[in-house]
């Protein structure tokens, strides 16, 4: 059954991978221009509105970007890959059950294979594929820099990867719930996108800022302090386990 | 949920309510005999598909169901199911579909599936999404009928097939049963049921109205037709009456009544076929026998 799942998601995974690789290639190719572009952006930093200052971040970043390892970690994992991670996970998770329900193929599986086997095979295959995709893409950042002739190391890549692996788990199991609850393929996507878009807005309210996991995904604390945010990591991991358990219960109760 | 029995499938007091008040199965009790073809007949919304889904544990229900004397979760590999909507993974070619079935199903005979595909004239190298409706149905049947199952549960298996493929499917179903397998299937097409079924049950509004052997239908029941003003209608009480314009068709299971009624002028006694029996039960004055 795992082979069927892999076979069905192969095109999606290949397309996502190629798009992300194209982005990474561009990022490495743009390396010589990056510092001068950033210096230009930060030139009148003191005169721009405070909201825009917050958006641009710390001006000290510009100096640190001179380091190749910091450049790739901050601009790839801490920026491009981090920003797209929720969408990548959504694209893999949303059809896991919704497509089978929508197309009526779920009857073929549920009449022949026990519900728990169907659930674990489908959920875990998609989960490990998402995980593998993000791990490979994370590590390809420094590798591409080295191939481009730059003096980059893996540096904080592994630490940010820990954040991103936990984020994949949390988001994947959340999107799996949408895939179980809805009977078509559109609603899980729309709900997933709504969640992804709502996260940055939540941070505008202090009491809800913990909902916004974007800074965590992009390794903000690691880039700033060099340390993994263990407390938040543990909380998000527990939430991921809770969502997995909830999705199993929902699938067990669902009628088709 | 388990019932000890010698039947292939045993259903006791099945009840299924959708939402707050839609009763899809209302105290259904049914025994599906081993090694025979049982047809479940009924109009749309009678509860046939709900009953099949309950047997397979696809929906939750009240009551007791056992399959081969066990819970369905213990014997899934012994049961093959063809749902009402025969949707298979349409991005696959039929050949790939057979390969995947061989990987995920314990009891799948790939060679048999290829033979069925040949019988039904299905291209192995084309994606299922390019198939016509009838071809998709035939493709699904090629897969389901190639499982080495003991029980075949088929929901409207011939729906959408052309007459030639339909005949081929009915022959295959008959052959399956002749090899000692149990077949439970639903259909709207009564001549089809008459052709292959040995036992039939009629379901209406979530209840089983009648279960019996097709071969003994004509000996147990008799149908009479008479003018709507016939004095017989006032003197006798029948199992069911169906009025159509100036004619009344009645159903009787009382042999002594048959003699009295058939001697009355203007009364005729056509053959007791399943079609007439079904109509008298569903559309007649009485649904219970």
């Amino acid at each position: 059954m795992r082979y069927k799942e892999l076979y069905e998601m192969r095109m999606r995974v290949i397309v996502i991978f190629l798009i992300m690789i194209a982005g990474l290639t561009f990022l490495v190719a743009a390396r010589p221009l990056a510092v001068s572009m950033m210096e230009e952006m930060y030139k009148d930093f003191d005169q721009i509105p405070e909201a825009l200052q917050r958006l641009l971040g710390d001006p000290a970043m510009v100096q640190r970007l001179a380091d190749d390892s910091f450049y790739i970690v901050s601009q790839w994992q801490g920026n491009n890959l981090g920003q797209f991670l929720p969408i990548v996970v959504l694209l893999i998770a949303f059809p896991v059950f919704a497509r089978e329900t929508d197309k009526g193929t779920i009857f073929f599986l549920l009449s022949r294979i026990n519900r728990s086997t169907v659930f674990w095979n489908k959920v875990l295959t998609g989960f490990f594929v998402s995980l593998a995709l993000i791990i490979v893409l994370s590590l390809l950042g420094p590798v591409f820099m080295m191939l481009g002739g730059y003096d980059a190391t893996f540096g904080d890549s592994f630490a940010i990867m820990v954040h991103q692996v936990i984020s994949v788990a949390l988001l994947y199991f959340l999107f799996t719930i949408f895939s179980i609850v809805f009977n078509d393929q559109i609603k899980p996507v729309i709900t997933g996108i709504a969640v992804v878009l709502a996260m940055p807005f939540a941070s505008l309210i202090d009491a809800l800022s913990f909902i916004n996991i974007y800074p965590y995904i992009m390794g903000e604390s690691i880039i700033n302090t060099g340390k993994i945010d263990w407390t938040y990591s543990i909380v998000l991991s527990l939430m991921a386990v809770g969502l997995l358990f909830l999705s199993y219960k929902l699938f067990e109760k669902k009628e088709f | 949920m388990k019932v000890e029995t010698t039947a292939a499938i045993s259903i006791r007091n099945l009840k299924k309510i959708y939402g707050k008040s839609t009763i899809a199965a209302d105290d259904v009790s049914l025994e599906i005999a081993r090694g025979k073809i049982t047809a479940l007949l009924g109009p749309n919304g009678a509860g046939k598909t709900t009953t099949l889904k309950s047997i397979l544990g696809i929906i939750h229900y009240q009551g007791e169901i056992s399959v081969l004397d066990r819970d369905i979760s213990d014997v899934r590999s012994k049961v093959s199911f063809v749902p009402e909507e025969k949707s298979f993974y349409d991005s696959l070619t039929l050949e790939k579909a057979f390969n995947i079935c061989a990987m995920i199903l314990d009891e799948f005979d790939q060679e048999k599936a290829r033979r069925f595909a040949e019988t039904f004239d299905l291209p192995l190298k084309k994606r299922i999404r390019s198939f016509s409706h009838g071809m998709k149905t035939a493709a699904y049947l090629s897969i389901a009928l190639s499982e080495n199952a003991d029980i075949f549960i088929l929901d409207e298996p011939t729906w959408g097939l052309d007459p030639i493929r339909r005949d081929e499917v009915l022959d295959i179903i008959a052959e399956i049963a002749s090899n000692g397998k149990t077949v439970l299937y639903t259909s709207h097409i009564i001549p089809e049921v008459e052709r292959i079924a040995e036992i039939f049950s009629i379901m209406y509004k979530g209840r089983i109205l009648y279960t019996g052997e097709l071969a003994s239908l004509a000996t147990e029941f008799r149908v009479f037709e008479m003018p709507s003003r016939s004095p017989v209608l006032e003197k006798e009480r029948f199992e069911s009456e169906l009025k159509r314009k100036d004619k009344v068709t009645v159903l009787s299971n009382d042999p002594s009544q048959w003699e009295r009624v058939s001697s009355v002028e203007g009364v005729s006694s056509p053959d007791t076929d399943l079609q007439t029996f079904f109509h008298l039960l569903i559309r007649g004055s009485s649904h219970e026998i």
Side-chain angles (χ1 to χ4, degrees), chain B residues 50-258:
Chain B
T50 296
T51 304
L52 300 191
K53 284 183 178 177
S54 301
I55 293 169
L56 293 158
I58 292 173
I59 55 173
H60 302 287
Y61 56 85
Q62 293 168 32
E64 296 177 338
I65 298 177
S66 71
V67 180
L68 299 171
D69 291 332
R70 302 175 75 174
D71 190 89
I72 181 67
S73 59
D74 298 331
V75 288
R76 282 201 187 280
S77 62
K78 297 286 170 201
V79 180
S80 176
F81 175 55
V82 173
E84 194 174 14
E85 197 173 322
K86 285 123 192 107
S87 310
F88 202 71
Y89 302 95
D90 59 8
S91 63
L92 304 176
T93 62
L94 196 54
E95 188 168 43
K96 194 78 196 171
F98 290 164
N99 288 339
I100 286 181
C101 286
M103 279 185 224
I104 64 176
L105 304 176
D106 294 335
E107 303 281 346
F108 183 72
D109 184 341
Q110 204 170 164
E111 280 311 306
K112 200 173 181 181
R114 284 171 185 276
R115 286 201 297 278
F116 281 142
E118 202 177 321
T119 306
F120 296 138
D121 257 339
L122 299 172
L124 288 173
K125 304 280 184 192
K126 281 191 175 175
R127 286 182 195 275
I128 295 172
R129 74 160 65 101
S130 69
F131 287 8
S132 67
H133 177 70
M135 286 166 81
K136 282 179 183 170
T137 301
Y140 207 111
L141 287 166
S142 301
I143 291 166
L145 300 176
S146 303
E147 289 178 78
N148 294 322
D150 290 335
I151 299 175
F152 290 82
I153 298 177
L154 316 172
D155 198 356
E156 305 280 354
T158 59
W159 188 247
L161 292 178
D162 62 55
I164 294 168
R165 282 204 183 109
R166 192 163 63 216
D167 281 349
E168 285 165 349
V169 169
L170 293 177
D171 287 344
I172 293 166
I173 293 171
E175 194 188 319
I176 284 170
S178 71
N179 290 330
K181 310 288 187 181
T182 303
V183 178
L184 168 62
Y185 89 105
T186 70
S187 181
H188 283 107
I189 309 161
I190 291 175
E192 194 181 291
V193 174
E194 283 181 309
R195 184 173 145 185
I196 60 164
E198 295 159 277
I199 299 167
F200 70 99
S201 288
I202 295 178
M203 203 169 181
Y204 184 59
K205 291 186 175 175
R207 296 182 75 87
I208 297 287
L209 302 185
Y210 179 80
T211 297
E213 288 190 26
L214 200 64
S216 60
L217 184 65
T219 54
E220 284 182 26
F221 291 93
R222 197 153 289 183
V223 174
F224 296 100
E225 282 180 359
M226 60 195 75
S228 57
R229 290 183 180 176
S230 174
V232 176
L233 292 168
E234 286 178 15
K235 287 182 193 164
E236 303 278 347
R237 288 191 65 82
F238 298 101
E239 298 309 315
S240 187
E241 295 178 18
L242 178 61
K243 288 179 187 167
R244 285 182 196 156
K245 293 183 182 173
D246 55 349
K247 208 166 71 176
V248 176
T249 308
V250 299
L251 183 71
S252 168
N253 65 350
D254 177 0
S256 65
Q257 191 180 42
W258 299 350

Side-chain angles (χ1 to χ4, degrees), chain A:
Chain A
M1 198 182 153
R2 279 186 292 275
Y3 175 79
K4 179 190 92 60
E5 297 304 313
L6 289 169
Y7 187 84
E8 281 192 311
M9 65 176 71
R10 76 197 188 288
M11 276 313 288
R12 246 175 310 143
V13 173
I14 291 169
V15 169
I16 292 168
F17 185 74
L18 291 178
I19 290 172
M20 296 306 289
I21 287 296
L24 176 60
T25 309
F26 178 78
L27 199 67
V28 174
R31 169 67 179 134
L33 304 170
V35 176
S36 58
M37 279 169 65
M38 294 292 275
E39 278 172 350
E40 189 64 28
M41 279 169 65
Y42 281 89
K43 196 171 63 182
D44 301 318
F45 187 80
D46 294 337
Q47 282 142 44
I48 61 174
E50 201 184 318
L52 205 56
Q53 282 182 357
R54 276 211 302 268
L55 201 67
L56 282 173
D58 186 2
M61 278 273 287
V62 182
Q63 276 75 50
R64 294 180 70 191
L65 279 175
D67 174 32
D68 290 333
S69 300
F70 182 78
Y71 169 77
I72 197 63
V73 160
S74 63
Q75 299 308 302
W76 176 238
Q77 281 177 287
N79 203 335
N80 295 303
L81 179 62
Q83 280 172 346
F84 284 103
L85 182 144
I87 298 296
V88 169
V89 175
L90 177 62
L91 288 173
I92 294 172
F94 90 86
V96 168
F97 294 103
R99 179 179 287 176
E100 302 261 12
T101 313
D102 188 25
K103 298 205 165 188
T105 50
I106 193 78
F107 295 117
F108 179 80
L109 292 181
L110 290 182
S111 60
R112 288 162 175 85
I113 304 167
N114 284 331
R115 224 171 244 240
S116 58
T117 311
V118 170
F119 177 84
W120 291 113
N121 272 292
K122 288 182 85 65
V123 169
L124 294 183
T125 306
F127 174 61
F128 285 121
V129 166
S130 310
L131 220 52
L133 195 61
I134 294 302
I135 289 172
V136 168
L137 287 170
S138 287
L139 299 179
L140 279 180
V143 171
F144 266 48
M145 281 296 276
M146 290 173 209
L147 291 174
Y150 294 101
D151 187 22
T153 61
F154 284 96
D156 288 331
S157 291
F158 290 107
I160 299 186
M161 208 173 72
V162 170
H163 277 207
Q164 293 185 337
V165 161
I166 290 168
S167 304
V168 166
L170 181 81
L171 291 169
Y172 182 85
F173 297 136
L174 176 67
F175 297 148
T176 300
I177 288 177
F178 300 153
S179 187
I180 292 168
V181 169
F182 296 116
N183 290 328
D184 61 56
Q185 296 185 71
I186 306 293
K187 290 191 196 93
V189 177
I190 293 173
T191 315
I193 290 171
V195 167
V196 170
L197 293 176
M199 283 193 300
F201 285 107
S203 65
L204 296 174
I205 304 162
D206 281 347
L208 295 177
S209 60
F210 73 95
I211 292 173
N212 181 19
I213 63 166
Y214 265 116
Y216 177 80
I217 296 172
M218 299 199 278
E220 201 178 81
S221 67
I222 297 163
I223 289 168
N224 291 334
T225 65
K227 288 178 184 168
I228 292 174
D229 186 343
W230 285 114
T231 311
Y232 203 46
S233 295
I234 291 166
V235 170
L236 293 185
S237 300
L238 291 173
M239 282 173 70
V241 173
L243 288 172
L244 176 62
F245 179 73
L246 179 63
S247 61
Y248 178 70
K249 285 288 162 198
L250 287 170
F251 187 69
E252 214 177 30
K253 298 271 177 214
K254 172 136 180 159
E255 295 197 333
F256 296 92

